């Protein structure tokens, strides 16, 4: 018997979507509400969703829900759909690949796509030293493997991470992630020998790069000791933590200390990498040349893929057979990634990311001049954010962020929150989002700010 839940006709394609904002029903609409009821009975409640609408299809920078409402997508599935939803070149690559080889297991019978992605990563990650890569399924798995490799290379076990970091939800990466609720609470015990140290958060700590680095290094030397430290893992722009851009000179000072002390510097570029900030990797903005780089999210146009790329002599520290995994570097995902590299180049998406900054940053600053609730405007390329505060005290204001996200959705814009205090609104659209749609979405953000009741503080 046919499953009654399956549609009888094939769904309309993403490419048929008119690229416009359109609200047809109450938000959430009736079909989303019906799915919520089914979901509540069948899906574990630990898997919560930020927004109450169910996605049906998408194209470019537009997502259509199951009720036919169309949203300008400023979240891009948390920075994954860098090349845009249902990009034709990615679609072509994965359909061709799926019809010829979907799985072989690279550690049994290898295939070219994996090798090609490793070559492309060597070419596009910072630095012109000899590099090698391994491929995985997710960002967390990339971080796990970077730590494995750094430990094997150094023969040391301690790992340092920065306050406000996000590195994943596996046991090791939970230990490396700063925020307890919702990521860690009740899920311990956590992997040992992980140490969180203060980083650089210019809006909150007021320190310049050298001063913030000196503070970090003081903690490293005093509470861990360089001789026991395998690696420091740092996001060049902190993502979940609130799109925090470290002060100028901070990352390079930290890396210099690592080099002097035989500590591996791992840049976690899962969120900031692959063209998001207007360079291939965000490390480039500060002249940082990490020993190892992790990537995932935007690397494969929505297909699961992650990678660790780095200095050949460090990557080769792991013995043959020491790295792997069943689905790692799946042929369909690698085909998608090869198409993504090509699209970033041929559509000049690095230029588009810089253009998005050029359009959005002044608009956000103009909003800040009208709304003292915006304590800080920051970001690079298409990784931009506003931090909301109670103006009198600069204390975080997560309630206003939640209200803005709700208002935006009602008005056809997908926005997502960030920040370890939940008081940051982040913009990380697809790089193919047009200027017109971006400005339209920013107008909705402006209206959302207008709709807030005046701050009593
Ligand atoms: N490192 C820097 O941003 C993923 C997670 C959202 P995975 N960030 C979004 C959520 O609620 O799960 C992320 C990241 C950085 C690592 C990761 C982990 O990547 O692909 O989610 O495992």
């Amino acid at each position: 018997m046919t499953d009654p839940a399956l549609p009888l006709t094939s769904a309309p394609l993403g490419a048929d979507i008119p690229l416009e904002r359109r609200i047809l029903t109450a938000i959430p609409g009736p079909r989303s509400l019906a799915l919520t009821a089914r979901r509540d009975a069948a899906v574990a409640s630990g898997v919560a969703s930020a927004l109450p609408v169910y996605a049906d299809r998408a194209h470019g920078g537009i997502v259509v829900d199951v009720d036919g409402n169309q949203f300008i997508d400023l979240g891009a599935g948390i920075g994954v759909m860098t090349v845009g939803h249902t990009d034709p070149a990615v679609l072509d690559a994965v359909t061709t690949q799926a019809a010829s080889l979907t799985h072989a297991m690279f550690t049994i019978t290898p295939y070219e796509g994996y090798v090609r992605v490793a070559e492309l990563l060597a070419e596009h990650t910072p630095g012109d030293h000899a590099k090698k890569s391994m491929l995985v399924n997710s960002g967390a798995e990339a971080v796990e493997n970077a730590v494995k490799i750094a430990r094997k290379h150094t023969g040391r076990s301690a790992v340092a991470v920065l306050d406000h970091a996000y590195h994943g939800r596996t046991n090791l990466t939970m230990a490396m992630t700063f925020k307890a609720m919702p990521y860690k609470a009740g899920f311990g015990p956590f992997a040992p020998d992980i140490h969180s140290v203060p980083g650089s958060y210019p809006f909150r700590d007021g320190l310049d790069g050298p001063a913030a680095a000196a503070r970090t290094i003081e903690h490293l030397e005093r509470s861990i000791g360089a001789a026991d430290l395998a690696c420091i893992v740092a996001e060049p722009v902190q993502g979940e933590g609130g799109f925090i851009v470290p002060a100028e000179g901070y990352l390079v000072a930290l890396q210099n200390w690592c080099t002097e002390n035989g500590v591996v510097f791992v840049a976690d570029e899962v969120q900031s990498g692959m063209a998001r900030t207007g360079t291939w990797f965000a490390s480039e903005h500060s002249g940082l040349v990490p020993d190892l780089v992790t990537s995932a999210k935007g690397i494969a146009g929505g297909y699961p893929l992650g990678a660790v790329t780095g200095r050949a002599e460090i990557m080769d520290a792991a013995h043959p057979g020491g790295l792997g995994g069943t689905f790692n570097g799946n042929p369909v995902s690698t085909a998608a990634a090869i198409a993504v590299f090509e699209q970033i180049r041929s559509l000049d998406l690095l230029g588009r990311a810089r253009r998005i900054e050029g359009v959005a940053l002044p608009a956000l600053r103009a909003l800040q001049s009208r709304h003292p609730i915006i304590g800080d405007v920051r970001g690079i390329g298409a990784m931009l954010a506003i931090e909301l505060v109670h103006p009198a005290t600069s204390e975080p204001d997560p309630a206003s962020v939640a209200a803005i996200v709700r208002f935006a959705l009602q008005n056809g814009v997908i926005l997502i929150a960030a920040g370890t205090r939940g008081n940051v609104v982040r913009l990380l659209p697809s790089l193919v989002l047009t200027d017109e749609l971006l400005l339209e979405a920013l107008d909705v953000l402006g209206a959302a700010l207008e709709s807030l009741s005046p701050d009593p503080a």
Side-chain angles (χ1 to χ4, degrees), residues 78-354:
I78 314 201
V80 169
M81 303 312 297
T82 307
V83 297
H85 294 278
T86 51
D87 172 77
V90 173
L91 181 62
D92 189 45
V94 301
T95 45
T96 305
Q97 184 62 47
S100 56
L101 179 75
T102 53
H103 179 77
M105 188 144 174
F106 191 74
T107 51
I108 303 290
T109 45
Y111 40 89
E112 184 181 355
Y114 190 117
V115 179
R116 183 67 192 134
V117 172
E119 289 170 348
L120 287 165
L121 283 164
E123 196 183 314
H124 292 91
T125 48
D128 43 22
H129 48 279
K131 292 175 213 153
K132 290 193 175 184
S133 288
M134 73 166 299
L135 303 184
V136 292
N137 302 301
S138 69
E141 210 185 340
V143 174
E144 289 254 353
N145 279 281
V147 169
K148 263 169 82 166
I149 293 164
R151 282 176 165 163
K152 184 81 190 215
H153 170 73
T154 57
R156 308 171 182 176
S157 75
V159 173
V161 291
L162 301 180
D163 292 352
H164 307 288
Y166 183 94
H167 297 297
R169 293 176 182 269
T170 58
N171 187 265
L172 174 63
T173 58
M174 267 194 292
M176 297 170 67
T177 288
F178 183 76
K179 191 176 176 181
M181 198 56 163
Y183 304 121
K184 300 157 74 159
F187 296 142
F190 302 111
D193 223 356
I194 309 296
H195 307 265
S196 186
V197 296
S200 169
Y201 191 165
F203 175 62
R204 291 281 169 198
D205 64 27
L207 298 177
D208 65 15
R215 182 177 65 169
T216 303
I217 289 164
E218 221 256 307
H219 272 78
L220 295 171
E221 290 181 339
R222 208 147 47 90
S223 72
I224 310 168
D228 287 324
L229 189 56
C231 60
I232 293 179
V233 183
E235 299 156 85
V237 178
Q238 289 189 313
E240 301 307 300
F243 281 30
I244 304 165
V245 184
E248 204 182 318
Y250 173 78
L251 290 168
V252 165
L254 204 54
Q255 168 160 52
N256 289 341
W257 179 87
C258 285
T259 308
E260 283 157 24
N261 289 280
V263 175
V264 176
F265 191 102
V266 183
D268 182 351
E269 293 248 24
V270 164
Q271 193 154 165
S272 60
M274 287 301 282
R276 167 87 11 223
T277 64
T279 50
W280 279 96
F281 287 86
S283 295
E284 292 168 54
H285 293 286
S286 47
L288 178 70
V289 181
D291 298 314
L292 301 180
V293 176
T294 57
S295 29
K297 288 200 189 287
I299 193 175
Y303 293 82
L305 190 70
V308 187
T309 305
R311 294 186 186 279
E313 67 278 15
I314 300 180
M315 291 299 294
D316 281 342
H319 47 273
L323 306 174
T326 302
F327 292 117
N328 284 1
N330 170 271
V332 179
S333 294
T334 53
I338 294 163
V340 166
F341 274 101
E342 177 54 26
Q343 287 299 73
I344 291 174
R345 201 190 51 75
S346 65
L347 302 175
D348 184 26
L349 295 186
L350 301 181
R352 274 301 305 158
R354 290 193 290 269

Side-chain angles (χ1 to χ4, degrees), residues 289-446:
V289 181
D291 298 314
L292 301 180
V293 176
T294 57
S295 29
K297 288 200 189 287
I299 193 175
Y303 293 82
L305 190 70
V308 187
T309 305
R311 294 186 186 279
E313 67 278 15
I314 300 180
M315 291 299 294
D316 281 342
H319 47 273
L323 306 174
T326 302
F327 292 117
N328 284 1
N330 170 271
V332 179
S333 294
T334 53
I338 294 163
V340 166
F341 274 101
E342 177 54 26
Q343 287 299 73
I344 291 174
R345 201 190 51 75
S346 65
L347 302 175
D348 184 26
L349 295 186
L350 301 181
R352 274 301 305 158
R354 290 193 290 269
R355 170 79 189 159
I356 287 170
E357 175 183 323
V359 169
L361 212 50
L364 293 173
R365 294 216 169 100
L367 288 173
Q368 183 182 30
S369 67
R370 290 205 297 281
H371 299 283
I373 189 178
I374 302 180
D376 194 26
V377 173
R378 58 179 178 250
I380 314 177
M383 191 170 183
L384 303 171
I386 53 175
E387 175 162 350
L388 300 193
V389 299
H390 296 285
T393 59
S394 284
E395 278 300 301
D397 183 359
S400 292
V401 168
I404 286 172
V405 168
R406 246 189 335 268
F407 181 101
L409 191 72
Q410 304 290 340
N411 290 278
V413 175
I414 293 175
L415 277 179
I416 44 183
T420 48
R421 306 286 295 269
N423 68 319
V424 175
V425 178
R426 58 177 142 173
L427 277 50
L428 63 168
S430 294
L431 304 183
V432 296
L433 186 72
T434 60
D435 289 356
E436 294 70 34
L437 287 174
L438 176 62
L439 287 166
E440 196 177 318
L442 288 165
D443 282 346
V444 171
L445 175 60

Side-chain angles (χ1 to χ4, degrees), residues 13 18 57 72 217 322 363 367 399:
L13 298 177
R57 54 194 194 276
I72 302 172
I217 289 164
L367 288 173

